Amino acid sequence: MSFDLTPSDDLRQILDAAQTMLDTHYPVARLRDGSDDSLAALDEFGAFDLARPDTEGGAGFTLVEEAHLHVALGRHLAPPAALATAIARRIDPTATAALGFSQEDAWLWLPQPDTAQALIRVGNGLTLAPAKATETTPALGGTYAFAKAPPSQNARRADAATHLVAQVLTSAQLLGVAIGARDLALAYARDREQFGRPIASFQAIKHRAADMSIGIEKVSALLDMAAIATRDASPDAGFLCSALARLAPRTTVETARGAIQIHGGIGFSAEADAHLFLKRAHILRAFLGPDDMLEHKAPLAPY
Amino acid sequence: MSFDLTPSDDLRQILDAAQTMLDTHYPVARLRDGSDDSLAALDEFGAFDLARPDTEGGAGFTLVEEAHLHVALGRHLAPPAALATAIARRIDPTATAALGFSQEDAWLWLPQPDTAQALIRVGNGLTLAPAKATETTPALGGTYAFAKAPPSQNARRADAATHLVAQVLTSAQLLGVAIGARDLALAYARDREQFGRPIASFQAIKHRAADMSIGIEKVSALLDMAAIATRDASPDAGFLCSALARLAPRTTVETARGAIQIHGGIGFSAEADAHLFLKRAHILRAFLGPDDMLEHKAPLAPY
Amino acid sequence: MDLTATQQDEAFRARARDWLCANRPAEPAPYDGPVSRTYATDWLARCHKGGWSGLAWPEAYGGQGLPPARLMLWYEEYVRARAPSTLDCTFVALNHAGPTLIARGTDAQKAFHLPRILGGRSIWCQGFSEPGAGSDLAALRATGRVEGDELVVNGQKIWSSYADIADYQELLIRTDPGASRHHGLSWVICDMSLPGITVRPIKNIAGVTHFAEVFYDNVRIPLTEVVGDLNDGWSVAMTTLAFERRTAALALQVELSVKVEDLIRLADAPAGSATSARLSDLRAEAAALRAMTWRTALREPDTPFDGSLVRLAFAELAQEIHRAAMDILGPAALADPRWSHDYLESFSETIAGGTAEIQRNIIAERILAMPREPRA
Amino acid sequence: MDLTATQQDEAFRARARDWLCANRPAEPAPYDGPVSRTYATDWLARCHKGGWSGLAWPEAYGGQGLPPARLMLWYEEYVRARAPSTLDCTFVALNHAGPTLIARGTDAQKAFHLPRILGGRSIWCQGFSEPGAGSDLAALRATGRVEGDELVVNGQKIWSSYADIADYQELLIRTDPGASRHHGLSWVICDMSLPGITVRPIKNIAGVTHFAEVFYDNVRIPLTEVVGDLNDGWSVAMTTLAFERRTAALALQVELSVKVEDLIRLADAPAGSATSARLSDLRAEAAALRAMTWRTALREPDTPFDGSLVRLAFAELAQEIHRAAMDILGPAALADPRWSHDYLESFSETIAGGTAEIQRNIIAERILAMPREPRA
């Protein structure tokens, strides 16, 4: 059967193993005390070479499995460099890259101890360049720190195929962030009582949670189709990735905002984790870059 | 005291009298059996000459009182020609005009037995021209009928001051339509029981009603300021009318949509009145025309 | 996971396209009344003759037994060819009554009704909702009293689509007055020509008459017309929800995508404009709805309540598209039935078959396991 | 209805503008900690010296007794001059504690506290919320036990803004353990230097420390510090809500308008673009909020709950403006505190002082007279 959206056994196994690794090395709570956020455990797991052919030292899986892994990474707010590195490996098979974007005439990136390069979003393109940790500026209330430098001359631009891969994997992480934020809010709403009942029993909370879940379901279904189309270099890959890149960031920002609101007072404090999901959504959105759906041909055209 | 937003006794008296007249001659229920919707009772009430100086045969009130009268007209879904006529009297003191708009190279208007002219929205302008009831096309599911003709050569364009008056009075009617739709929905929600309680006790309904009321309050407050500024030819009249013209139609369409939804199944049937408010909102929105807030100077600029 | 069409798939698609191109009606479908029935039954009869009716029904019952992937291809070609909307007066019979009889009917019921449905010879309507029980089917009050080998039915139904032109009705009534809420209901085949039935059509806000109120005054229905067991009607009614949502959604979703493409073409908005941004969003949303619909069709046949997510997503997108059309096209849309009629019809999306508010409750309680509200 | 400034009004406006221009601090306000206190109290002291503190307070208590129209003019000039936000650590004392003492305090309480507040010599914090009672003040559990001429206070408060740098607290505690919900509460002046008080600052999502948790371990407060009658604290707490909402809103609303104008200037969006449409909407919304605020200030001093409408409208617009800034300005905004700090702070708008959900309930139940939900 050639039409099949059931996750394969391979995929389930990869995700089970990833879950164990992430629970051990990247629990979200680690970010509260600013612990050293190394890529080592991810590297050892093979996260960055999952989709490379086994003849080239990879695990021989595809972008579809890799996308699902990045959903899990998003849920755990894995280091931003994990996303940049997975994409950068398409340009340089040995790269370990920080995540970055351009602002006017400068590059900003999120430096990390184990990265010597940065993958920078510049308009519609991506470029890989050497980058060290210079003096940093705090961003988003101090949860992130940006390094800043003028654009490097010594940069390599990603090709069109890598651009699509970047849209898929970044959206996958955004989806994971949305799921993580929604689940956090649900857990809180079931525990927290006001006016003598759990706030999860109020329609305002329920309906918001339902809307979050519809958004998550949309992005999740679209992610599968876009990942399959990109893997197979289908003619509609550009269309699907573009749709995904348009929906994923707004769904995640909206879900994370809702998660803070559902938490009430504690959601506005840095002691709950809800804000970490919101801030990561903004970082990933900035890295995903702009997109215009209308530039593509519709898959079934002409109607 | 020169800063005063309390309705005057004059205004209260006018509105009381108008209410009696409207309840008698223009109950919303009249529209269910397509009764002849004459302007006679409004004309006799003096609705079209309220703001004209008494030296010119008017009642000597101002645009502020007239705006409040049109809110009441909107609540009762008074004939669209009542709005057109009130504005058209600024161009021709004896006019009785149908309401219309342009579409590509044609004019469309809502003919009425007692109108011989039509006030047509053409882009950013308004133009008054002779117009008779030609063959008509049904519009909005048959609730309205449009007459259609090529643009008349024998037309008079409204000046800038009349343009502001049109924004104020059309927005006033839109506000009335929103209030009418909201009140209808509230009355239904208090009566209708589901799952053993009035649906008005469910948060989903309550919060929607609260949002409707916030929208109504915004437009209502803005209407007063815009009407005062237009009456007094204040420098910020253009800014305020523009803000009003931007908010009023969307508030009313949104409120009328919500009113249908709150009614559930009966709201989707032509037997409830909710749809009449929605359709009127679309007619008034089309007549109000486009607007761009950013063309104006902000009242307190430079900041 | 794979979405590659095989050579056989492509051949099927080409066959469907050719047939649809040669056979689809030239005229658009009438909105209501007997002419709409004739139009719809003629079209279904022609499909049946061509071997294209009951596509998802088992072959044993005269259907084509197509797997979901083939159904997807068919509906994509169907809508692309601008064939009549599947949401016409044959919808209830093909997507609801027929599959219910297949799953729960007696041999005699199947033998009589299924061929009539597939051939476009009988039209069905639904008789679930009542004036006091819109979204709350457990509050149904219409009764069927057992007298000998008959049920004597009294009461009232509402929102019964096409009841004015239907031959049969799926009727859900309370047959055990002692039982409460979901218990004691029965699912009965009601012949609409029986004495004691009065149909009062209800005009909707788009000015057309799909809906009707139906009144039952001592209507005598033989007990042989009960489907499933007496007093087990709730479980019978639930049987086909999944079927309806899975297959019907495939066609409707493609219809929406085409609407968006039509609007994009018509609006011709400059790049970077507010209108272009809004259309870009709608296109992305339509792509997401397609992905959700495919996922539901290709992956999750046994999870009945996941349907709520895709159903609500569909309803809201349908409204959003028509609303955008009214905003973007301006006065031109008011007298153009392609847009204003469909806009007004789209209001039913978040009402019919359970309001959006009820759908959100279901998603929250059944999928997200959030606690119920305290009962009054 | 009239909104014409008289010659005297214009003269007042010019005087305000000149004074603000000459006196407003050159440096922006620090976000938190003792430096923020020094900054705010220095500024208030300077305003006091210039005759510009306690503008809405009665003259009998050292205020300026300005009518609402003059307050509007003042705050328009205040914000236009980019004077420090009024929502600093002096806010609770000026807009809440002071007016409460004026309305319900004893002569001794007034004589001691009011001059200190106006002169910037004492800072107050609020002590209403508790961990288990966020939006539900009737569920407060912190207790004050009467022992002789003292209250012995035990329990915990949360979301107490500036408790780490405040001198006094408006403390709402349960003094009659037998009474339930709104009854049996008392409003007490709590000296923050008393033994038994522990303050634990809470960092917010913008990375700054306004809030704190406050713990009370047998804190002994003289009964003379009770404001209003013992066990009548609920009515005391309600006294000043209207005052706060009417006057404080005037300044905050102008701040929002300026934000919108700043964003319009910075975005420099081409006409017809998606960004320009969004900014156009924000400008219209800001104009509407101004109209609502003026209406509240100039027309309805005696309708306390109408405040909910303007309050929620303010909260949502504030969030919408900052959210639009993040969307429009892109990566540049992430490391620019003017936008990202204020964006993160704006999340408190729909939470602090009753969530947006609670506000909507209040609007529905108190203004629209919709029925309450059944209690659990």
Side-chain angles (χ1 to χ4, degrees):
Chain A
M1 183 61 184
S2 56
F3 287 84
D4 181 8
L5 287 170
T6 312
S8 68
D9 288 343
D10 274 353
L11 176 54
R12 287 178 210 273
Q13 280 169 23
I14 292 167
L15 291 178
D16 283 350
Q19 199 55 54
T20 309
M21 180 271 295
L22 289 164
D23 287 343
T24 311
H25 296 284
Y26 302 96
V28 170
R30 82 196 187 279
L31 298 172
R32 284 186 218 154
D33 36 76
S35 71
D36 184 23
D37 217 11
S38 156
L39 294 181
L42 280 159
D43 207 4
E44 195 178 328
F45 181 78
F48 307 126
D49 300 300
L50 198 69
R52 202 176 323 163
D54 35 19
T55 54
E56 295 173 23
F61 293 105
T62 76
L63 182 62
V64 173
E65 289 77 21
E66 196 177 9
H68 278 264
L69 173 67
H70 278 268
V71 175
L73 263 56
R75 286 183 79 150
H76 282 257
L77 302 177
L83 173 63
T85 299
I87 301 162
R89 291 275 165 106
R90 266 77 178 182
I91 305 173
D92 171 355
T94 64
T96 307
L99 190 82
F101 13 77
S102 61
Q103 180 204 334
E104 285 161 18
D105 294 335
W107 282 358
L108 298 173
W109 69 93
L110 287 80
Q112 178 137 349
D114 35 18
T115 58
Q117 293 178 289
L119 185 69
I120 307 285
R121 157 75 48 192
V122 185
N124 277 318
L126 284 172
T127 199
L128 181 65
K132 48 183 190 218
T134 58
E135 199 179 332
T136 58
T137 345
L140 287 167
T143 297
Y144 291 92
F146 288 168
K148 187 175 180 176
S152 163
Q153 301 303 317
N154 193 9
R156 275 177 291 177
R157 281 184 68 84
D159 61 14
T162 304
H163 183 73
L164 296 185
V165 167
Q167 286 188 312
V168 168
L169 296 185
T170 311
S171 299
Q173 290 229 353
L174 279 162
L175 173 61
V177 173
I179 295 171
R182 192 250 339 242
D183 291 351
L184 199 66
L186 279 178
Y188 182 82
R190 287 196 195 99
D191 271 5
R192 169 76 171 174
E193 297 205 351
Q194 286 275 274
F195 306 99
R197 46 192 263 217
I199 62 169
S201 70
F202 287 98
Q203 272 194 337
I205 306 289
K206 278 178 167 168
H207 289 195
R208 188 146 199 171
D211 286 337
M212 289 174 173
S213 298
I214 291 173
I216 285 168
E217 184 67 16
K218 277 184 198 167
V219 173
S220 163
L222 198 50
L223 175 69
D224 278 353
M225 280 182 79
I228 292 168
T230 303
R231 177 195 68 190
D232 299 344
S234 302
D236 59 353
F239 178 91
L240 289 167
C241 287
S242 194
L244 181 63
R246 206 159 171 98
L247 289 190
R250 80 178 52 173
T251 301
T252 306
V253 168
E254 184 58 31
T255 302
R257 288 177 64 90
I260 290 177
Q261 180 69 23
I262 287 175
H263 276 77
I266 196 75
F268 184 61
S269 92
E271 294 177 10
D273 293 333
H275 72 114
L276 299 172
F277 289 86
L278 175 82
K279 291 169 179 176
R280 180 60 61 88
H282 281 283
I283 294 288
L284 292 171
R285 178 172 84 161
F287 178 69
L288 188 55
D291 211 276
D292 183 355
M293 266 308 278
L294 298 190
E295 284 171 5
H296 300 275
K297 207 181 82 172
L300 287 178
Y303 285 106
Chain B
M1 183 60 184
S2 56
F3 286 86
D4 181 8
L5 287 170
T6 311
S8 67
D9 288 343
D10 274 353
L11 176 55
R12 286 178 210 272
Q13 280 168 23
I14 292 167
L15 291 178
D16 283 350
Q19 199 54 55
T20 309
M21 181 269 295
L22 289 165
D23 287 343
T24 310
H25 296 283
Y26 302 95
V28 170
R30 81 195 188 279
L31 298 172
R32 283 186 219 154
D33 37 76
S35 72
D36 183 24
D37 218 10
S38 156
L39 295 182
L42 281 159
D43 207 3
E44 193 178 331
F45 181 79
F48 308 126
D49 300 300
L50 198 70
R52 202 176 322 164
D54 34 20
T55 53
E56 296 173 23
F61 292 105
T62 76
L63 183 63
V64 173
E65 288 76 22
E66 196 177 9
H68 278 264
L69 173 67
H70 279 268
V71 175
L73 264 54
R75 286 183 79 150
H76 282 258
L77 303 176
L83 174 63
T85 298
I87 300 162
R89 293 274 166 105
R90 266 76 179 183
I91 305 174
D92 171 355
T94 64
T96 306
L99 191 81
F101 13 78
S102 61
Q103 179 204 333
E104 286 161 18
D105 293 336
W107 282 358
L108 298 173
W109 68 93
L110 287 80
Q112 178 138 348
D114 36 16
T115 58
Q117 293 179 289
L119 185 68
I120 307 284
R121 157 74 49 193
V122 185
N124 277 317
L126 283 172
T127 200
L128 181 66
K132 49 182 188 217
T134 59
E135 200 178 332
T136 58
T137 347
L140 287 168
T143 298
Y144 290 93
F146 288 168
K148 188 175 178 176
S152 162
Q153 301 303 316
N154 193 9
R156 276 177 292 178
R157 282 183 68 84
D159 61 13
T162 304
H163 183 73
L164 296 186
V165 167
Q167 287 187 312
V168 168
L169 295 185
T170 311
S171 299
Q173 289 229 353
L174 279 162
L175 172 61
V177 173
I179 294 170
R182 192 252 336 245
D183 290 351
L184 199 67
L186 279 179
Y188 182 82
R190 288 196 194 98
D191 271 5
R192 170 76 171 173
E193 296 207 350
Q194 286 275 274
F195 306 101
R197 45 192 263 218
I199 63 169
S201 70
F202 287 98
Q203 272 194 337
I205 306 289
K206 278 178 167 167
H207 288 196
R208 189 147 198 172
D211 286 337
M212 289 174 173
S213 299
I214 291 173
I216 285 168
E217 184 68 15
K218 276 185 199 167
V219 173
S220 163
L222 199 49
L223 175 67
D224 278 352
M225 280 182 79
I228 293 169
T230 303
R231 178 195 67 190
D232 299 345
S234 303
D236 59 352
F239 179 91
L240 289 168
C241 287
S242 193
L244 181 63
R246 205 159 172 99
L247 289 190
R250 82 178 50 173
T251 300
T252 305
V253 168
E254 184 58 32
T255 301
R257 288 178 63 91
I260 290 178
Q261 180 69 24
I262 287 176
H263 276 78
I266 196 76
F268 184 61
S269 91
E271 296 178 9
D273 293 332
H275 71 114
L276 298 172
F277 290 87
L278 176 82
K279 290 170 179 175
R280 181 59 61 88
H282 281 283
I283 295 289
L284 292 171
R285 179 173 82 162
F287 177 69
L288 188 55
D291 212 277
D292 183 355
M293 267 307 278
L294 298 191
E295 284 171 4
H296 300 275
K297 208 182 81 172
L300 287 178
Y303 285 107
Chain C
M1 292 198 272
D2 196 5
L3 294 171
T4 317
T6 61
Q7 272 192 322
Q8 291 93 318
D9 291 330
E10 292 298 354
F12 172 85
R13 190 194 272 280
R15 215 162 60 240
R17 186 183 310 170
D18 292 346
W19 188 87
L20 284 160
C21 230
N23 288 279
R24 68 164 167 77
E27 295 298 309
Y31 288 141
D32 57 5
V35 287
S36 73
R37 176 181 167 134
T38 310
Y39 182 98
T41 51
D42 283 358
W43 169 235
L44 179 54
R46 198 183 316 170
C47 287
H48 187 57
K49 210 171 138 197
W52 298 105
S53 79
L55 299 171
W57 287 27
E59 289 173 87
Y61 298 107
Q64 310 297 327
L66 294 187
R70 288 289 167 90
L71 277 177
M72 275 161 32
L73 298 179
W74 163 260
Y75 283 122
E76 289 191 348
E77 292 307 320
Y78 185 92
V79 177
R80 183 143 74 163
R82 312 246 169 193
S85 170
T86 56
L87 205 57
D88 61 13
C89 64
T90 67
F91 186 89
V92 168
L94 286 169
N95 292 285
H96 211 269
T100 302
L101 294 179
I102 289 171
R104 308 289 294 266
T106 63
D107 289 343
Q109 289 166 346
K110 291 179 202 171
F112 181 83
H113 286 290
L114 298 181
R116 281 176 170 72
I117 290 174
L118 284 181
R121 286 180 289 129
S122 71
I123 293 299
W124 285 63
C125 62
Q126 209 174 45
F128 285 8
S129 294
E130 294 182 12
S135 292
D136 184 11
L137 288 185
L140 294 181
R141 286 175 309 182
T143 56
R145 195 175 67 247
V146 181
E147 274 191 24
D149 56 1
E150 287 180 328
L151 281 169
V152 182
V153 176
N154 282 285
Q156 181 181 353
K157 292 287 174 181
I158 196 168
W159 313 132
S160 184
S161 295
Y162 304 106
D164 56 334
I165 53 174
D167 305 299
Y168 299 98
Q169 182 178 47
E170 346 176 89
L171 184 58
L172 197 60
I173 43 174
R174 193 163 292 284
T175 42
D176 178 354
S180 76
R181 300 195 52 75
H182 301 84
H183 308 289
L185 299 170
S186 296
W187 199 109
V188 184
I189 302 168
C190 172
D191 181 336
M192 292 297 283
S193 65
L194 286 174
I197 293 180
T198 312
V199 176
R200 187 181 73 84
I202 301 174
K203 192 158 81 166
N204 75 16
I205 65 174
V208 308
T209 307
H210 297 156
F211 290 125
E213 235 171 339
V214 185
F215 300 88
Y216 311 82
D217 179 16
N218 287 316
V219 178
R220 306 189 81 89
I221 303 177
L223 276 170
T224 50
E225 301 298 321
V226 173
V227 176
D229 292 333
L230 197 68
N231 300 329
D232 193 30
W234 181 259
S235 98
V236 179
M238 291 298 111
T239 303
T240 48
L241 273 180
F243 181 94
E244 179 193 354
R245 288 182 185 175
R246 218 162 53 243
T247 62
L250 285 169
L252 298 177
Q253 160 265 311
V254 198
E255 281 183 25
L256 278 195
S257 291
V258 172
K259 272 269 175 192
V260 172
E261 297 304 322
D262 284 349
L263 186 56
I264 288 172
R265 207 161 25 235
L266 204 57
D268 193 25
S273 65
T275 300
S276 138
R278 188 157 180 198
L279 291 168
S280 207
D281 287 342
L282 291 177
R283 216 185 201 195
E285 292 281 353
L289 183 70
R290 180 166 174 244
M292 284 176 89
T293 313
W294 281 35
R295 174 185 277 190
T296 307
L298 294 175
R299 207 179 91 180
E300 296 165 305
D302 301 327
T303 43
F305 291 113
D306 265 33
S308 309
L309 286 169
V310 66
R311 189 165 182 287
L312 187 51
F314 173 86
E316 301 207 312
L317 180 57
Q319 286 189 349
E320 197 46 41
I321 290 168
H322 290 103
R323 183 184 196 177
M326 298 302 285
D327 292 349
I328 290 168
L329 301 177
L334 299 175
D336 181 345
R338 264 185 315 166
W339 298 104
S340 67
H341 173 86
D342 291 7
Y343 167 66
L344 292 169
E345 286 278 2
S346 77
F347 277 81
S348 74
E349 297 291 356
T350 52
I351 295 172
T355 63
E357 290 76 17
I358 298 291
Q359 300 296 330
R360 286 196 174 83
N361 281 350
I362 290 174
I363 292 168
E365 290 168 11
R366 297 199 192 153
I367 300 181
L368 303 176
M370 296 172 86
R372 290 176 173 276
E373 291 194 88
R375 286 194 75 88
Chain D
M1 292 197 273
D2 195 7
L3 294 171
T4 317
T6 61
Q7 272 193 322
Q8 290 93 318
D9 291 329
E10 292 299 353
F12 171 84
R13 190 194 271 282
R15 216 162 59 240
R17 185 183 309 169
D18 292 345
W19 187 86
L20 284 161
C21 229
N23 287 279
R24 68 164 169 75
E27 295 298 310
Y31 288 141
D32 58 4
V35 286
S36 72
R37 175 180 168 135
T38 309
Y39 181 98
T41 51
D42 282 358
W43 170 234
L44 179 54
R46 197 182 316 170
C47 288
H48 187 59
K49 211 172 136 196
W52 298 106
S53 79
L55 298 171
W57 289 26
E59 289 173 87
Y61 298 108
Q64 311 297 328
L66 293 187
R70 288 290 168 90
L71 277 176
M72 275 160 32
L73 298 179
W74 162 259
Y75 282 123
E76 290 191 348
E77 292 307 320
Y78 186 93
V79 177
R80 183 143 75 161
R82 312 245 170 194
S85 170
T86 56
L87 205 58
D88 62 12
C89 64
T90 67
F91 185 89
V92 168
L94 286 169
N95 292 285
H96 212 270
T100 303
L101 294 180
I102 289 170
R104 309 288 294 265
T106 62
D107 289 343
Q109 289 167 346
K110 291 179 202 172
F112 181 83
H113 286 290
L114 298 181
R116 281 177 170 73
I117 289 174
L118 284 181
R121 285 179 288 129
S122 71
I123 293 298
W124 285 63
C125 61
Q126 207 174 45
F128 285 7
S129 294
E130 294 183 10
S135 292
D136 184 10
L137 288 186
L140 294 182
R141 286 176 309 183
T143 55
R145 197 176 65 249
V146 181
E147 274 191 24
D149 55 2
E150 289 180 327
L151 281 169
V152 181
V153 177
N154 281 285
Q156 182 181 352
K157 293 286 173 180
I158 197 167
W159 314 131
S160 184
S161 296
Y162 303 107
D164 56 333
I165 52 174
D167 305 299
Y168 299 97
Q169 183 178 46
E170 344 176 270
L171 183 59
L172 197 60
I173 44 173
R174 195 163 289 284
T175 41
D176 178 354
S180 76
R181 301 195 53 75
H182 302 84
H183 309 289
L185 299 170
S186 296
W187 200 109
V188 185
I189 303 167
C190 172
D191 181 336
M192 292 297 282
S193 65
L194 286 174
I197 293 180
T198 313
V199 176
R200 188 182 73 83
I202 301 173
K203 191 158 81 167
N204 75 16
I205 64 174
V208 308
T209 307
H210 296 156
F211 290 126
E213 236 171 339
V214 185
F215 301 88
Y216 311 81
D217 180 16
N218 288 316
V219 177
R220 306 189 80 90
I221 303 178
L223 277 170
T224 51
E225 301 298 320
V226 173
V227 175
D229 290 336
L230 197 69
N231 299 330
D232 192 30
W234 180 259
S235 96
V236 179
M238 292 299 111
T239 304
T240 49
L241 272 179
F243 182 94
E244 179 193 353
R245 289 183 184 174
R246 217 161 55 242
T247 63
L250 286 169
L252 298 176
Q253 160 265 311
V254 198
E255 281 183 26
L256 278 194
S257 291
V258 172
K259 272 269 176 191
V260 172
E261 298 304 322
D262 284 349
L263 186 55
I264 288 172
R265 208 159 25 233
L266 203 57
D268 194 24
S273 64
T275 299
S276 138
R278 188 157 181 198
L279 291 169
S280 207
D281 287 341
L282 291 177
R283 216 185 201 194
E285 292 281 354
L289 183 70
R290 180 166 174 245
M292 284 177 88
T293 313
W294 280 36
R295 174 184 276 192
T296 307
L298 293 175
R299 208 179 88 181
E300 296 165 305
D302 301 327
T303 43
F305 291 112
D306 266 35
S308 309
L309 286 169
V310 65
R311 189 166 182 285
L312 187 51
F314 174 87
E316 300 206 313
L317 180 58
Q319 285 189 349
E320 198 44 43
I321 290 167
H322 290 103
R323 183 183 196 178
M326 298 302 284
D327 293 349
I328 290 168
L329 302 176
L334 299 175
D336 181 345
R338 263 185 315 167
W339 299 104
S340 66
H341 172 85
D342 290 7
Y343 167 66
L344 293 168
E345 287 278 1
S346 78
F347 277 82
S348 74
E349 297 291 356
T350 53
I351 296 173
T355 63
E357 290 77 17
I358 298 292
Q359 299 297 330
R360 286 196 174 82
N361 283 350
I362 290 175
I363 292 168
E365 291 168 9
R366 297 197 193 156
I367 300 182
L368 303 176
M370 296 172 85
R372 291 177 170 275
E373 291 194 87
R375 286 195 75 87

